[in-house]
Each structure stands twice: as structure tokens, then as C-alpha cells.
Amino acid sequence: MLMKKILLYEEDSELLHTLSGLLEECMTGIEIITAMDCVTVKKMIKMNAIQVFLLDLECYQEKNDKSIIDLGRYIRSLPQYQYTPIIFFDSACRYIKTAVNELHCQSYILKPFSKEEIMGAISYISKIPIKNKKYITLYDIDGVYYKIDEKDICFIEAMGKKMKFYVFLNEQSKIENIVTNRYRLLELRERLSSEFIQSHRKYIVNLSYVSNYDKTMCMAQVAGYSLPIGRSFKVDFEQALQWRI
């Protein structure tokens, strides 16, 4: 069974502990990911496919004192999180219009809140199904159209202005190559889910297919292929891989 991943952002450690306890009490089949600063939030949403966000509007980014509304805007700017449920907590209604009309939050709960209020919001969200499949459409260099489930993409290689996708097609055990010139590496990084990470200036890999990683040689085995891990991508790759273990 797929675990519903909930990201909880709260700078107050006592309230963070209380909310985590309520979530575990009210829901089954969940994984709670906690953060006490915006840097951690942004890192976690790249490493995980989050299904629900719980954000305290009274938290602030350390730099330039931006509100959590700006963090909400950042979340909504990511294609994979355009429609992900967000629950905001606040002690006043300062941002309610923006939260509802611009960010389309699921709930806006005022402090001090009761256990029943939290349970009501979470109970509704718990019924939202997890989307198991996400597709990407491709046209190869001959104009042939493909609709591919992301989970079947092992890795992607940049070849100049072309991209080579290494994928399992039609549930075959053999990896097929699809070459297209309709995407760029940066665009693919933004479109693909958090299961994918750029590991080198030439490669984006699906972490699900990483079977071995040699830190000394900076080489990873991905679906039977030996791929180099770039020095500038090494830290993020290792963190993403460690988070999955």
C-alpha cells in the first residue's frame, strides 16, 4: 500500500510534536515529514512526492522575512504540486483571501484550534486518493508518439540538443531507447516527479532503479547501466538516495 506523505512545517517544537501526534492518531498509512525552516521544506519536496502540506503562517523564512504565503506560491509554481492540498494555520485572518483565492488551500484553520477542527480537516484529506500514475508524452525524432508512465523511465541522457529516454515499454524486461528533440534537461527536471533527480550534467535518473552506488568512484548502477555522478550533483544525489533507504 502506498503511504500518504504529509509535510508539516512548524517552527514551534512543542506544537510540531502535538500536530504530529494528532496526525498519527487520526490517520493510518501515512508518513509524516517535519520541517522547522523553509530551506528544509524546499529540500524535502524535491526528495519526496508530498500528498498534503500543513503550513503555519506564523513561521517566517530566515532571510528577508518573507511570509509563508511566498512559500505557498513557490509550492504552487511546481507542476507536481499545483493541486496538492494545503492546510494553513494562523492566529488571524491576515492571508485568508490570498490563501483561498490564489493558492486554493484546502483549509484555513485559526489558532487556538481544537482537536476536532484538525481531525475534521485531516479526515477529509485522508479520503483523497493518491495518484499512482503520472505520464509524460514524447514524440521521437521520427514523429512517433509515446505516452509513458513515469515509473517506466529508468534514466534520461542529454545528447546535445536531443534527449534519450531509457524506458521499459509494454511491460517488457528489455529497456528501449526513445530519442526526442522536444525537451531540454531543465524542463524535464521541473516536469518529472520527486522520484527523479539530476545526477550529472548529462543525466536525470529514476531513484527507483538505482541498485548500487560507489561513493569512492562516484558511479551508480541504474537499471544495469553504470552512470557517473557529477561532483556538483553528488551531495543532493546522496541525500536523495539516503532518504529512500
Side-chain angles (χ1 to χ4, degrees):
M1 182 179 70
L2 290 175
M3 299 285 284
K4 187 183 289 290
K5 294 187 178 183
I6 299 177
L7 191 147
L8 172 58
Y9 176 27
E10 174 56 63
E11 292 179 349
D12 184 320
S13 58
E14 185 176 343
L15 184 54
L16 183 70
H17 178 75
T18 299
L19 287 170
S20 296
L22 282 174
L23 289 169
E24 291 174 345
E25 178 183 338
C26 298
M27 300 177 67
T28 58
I30 64 170
E31 177 184 345
I32 303 171
I33 299 169
T34 60
M36 298 183 70
D37 60 78
C38 284
V39 174
T40 302
V41 172
K42 291 182 177 180
K43 185 178 293 185
M44 290 300 101
I45 64 180
K46 290 179 180 179
M47 294 181 179
N48 300 273
I50 307 299
Q51 278 80 45
V52 182
F53 290 95
L54 284 84
L55 309 175
D56 189 340
L57 283 166
E58 293 188 295
C59 299
Y60 292 88
Q61 297 186 38
E62 294 179 2
K63 296 181 180 179
N64 57 41
D65 204 39
K66 289 185 178 181
S67 74
I68 301 306
I69 286 293
D70 294 296
L71 177 62
R73 290 189 177 111
Y74 170 76
I75 291 170
R76 286 289 185 245
S77 73
L78 302 174
Q80 66 268 38
Y81 295 123
Q82 287 182 351
Y83 307 106
T84 303
I86 298 177
I87 295 177
F88 284 119
F89 302 100
D90 199 3
S91 59
C93 296
R94 298 170 295 172
Y95 302 109
I96 191 166
K97 287 186 178 179
T98 304
V100 173
N101 297 331
E102 179 184 339
L103 301 179
H104 309 291
C105 69
Q106 198 71 42
S107 296
Y108 195 103
I109 300 176
L110 293 178
K111 300 177 183 178
F113 46 76
S114 66
K115 177 180 178 180
E116 288 70 29
E117 287 179 290
I118 299 296
M119 289 181 66
I122 294 171
S123 176
Y124 176 80
I125 287 176
S126 68
K127 299 173 184 176
I128 298 174
I130 301 174
K131 294 182 179 179
N132 296 327
K133 292 188 177 183
K134 183 178 180 182
Y135 292 95
I136 185 168
T137 56
L138 297 175
Y139 286 91
D140 69 13
I141 55 177
D142 296 318
V144 178
Y145 171 81
Y146 296 87
K147 182 179 180 181
I148 303 171
D149 190 336
E150 272 195 2
K151 69 177 180 60
D152 294 328
I153 301 173
C154 303
F155 65 95
I156 303 163
E157 179 184 4
M159 305 187 307
K161 294 183 178 181
K162 297 176 182 179
M163 294 289 139
K164 181 185 284 190
F165 286 71
Y166 293 75
V167 301
F168 286 108
L169 294 178
N170 303 319
E171 299 183 353
Q172 298 177 8
S173 58
K174 182 181 177 181
I175 295 177
E176 302 287 344
N177 299 331
I178 301 174
V179 179
T180 180
N181 55 13
R182 301 199 179 194
Y183 287 109
R184 295 293 178 266
L185 215 59
L186 178 60
E187 180 185 359
L188 287 168
R189 282 174 53 189
E190 295 175 348
R191 289 176 63 95
L192 293 167
S193 71
S194 57
E195 290 295 307
F196 293 81
I197 188 168
Q198 186 168 359
S199 57
H200 187 275
R201 62 183 179 83
K202 290 181 59 177
Y203 296 104
I204 292 176
V205 303
N206 185 338
L207 292 167
S208 300
Y209 290 96
V210 178
S211 58
N212 186 50
Y213 172 54
D214 187 328
K215 289 186 177 182
T216 304
M217 301 299 294
C218 290
M219 296 292 293
Q221 288 291 318
V222 184
Y225 290 80
S226 294
L227 303 182
I229 306 301
R231 283 182 294 179
S232 59
F233 302 96
K234 185 175 185 288
V235 173
D236 287 343
F237 176 80
E238 290 179 356
Q239 287 179 344
L241 199 61
Q242 182 178 10
W243 188 261
R244 295 175 57 86
I245 297 174

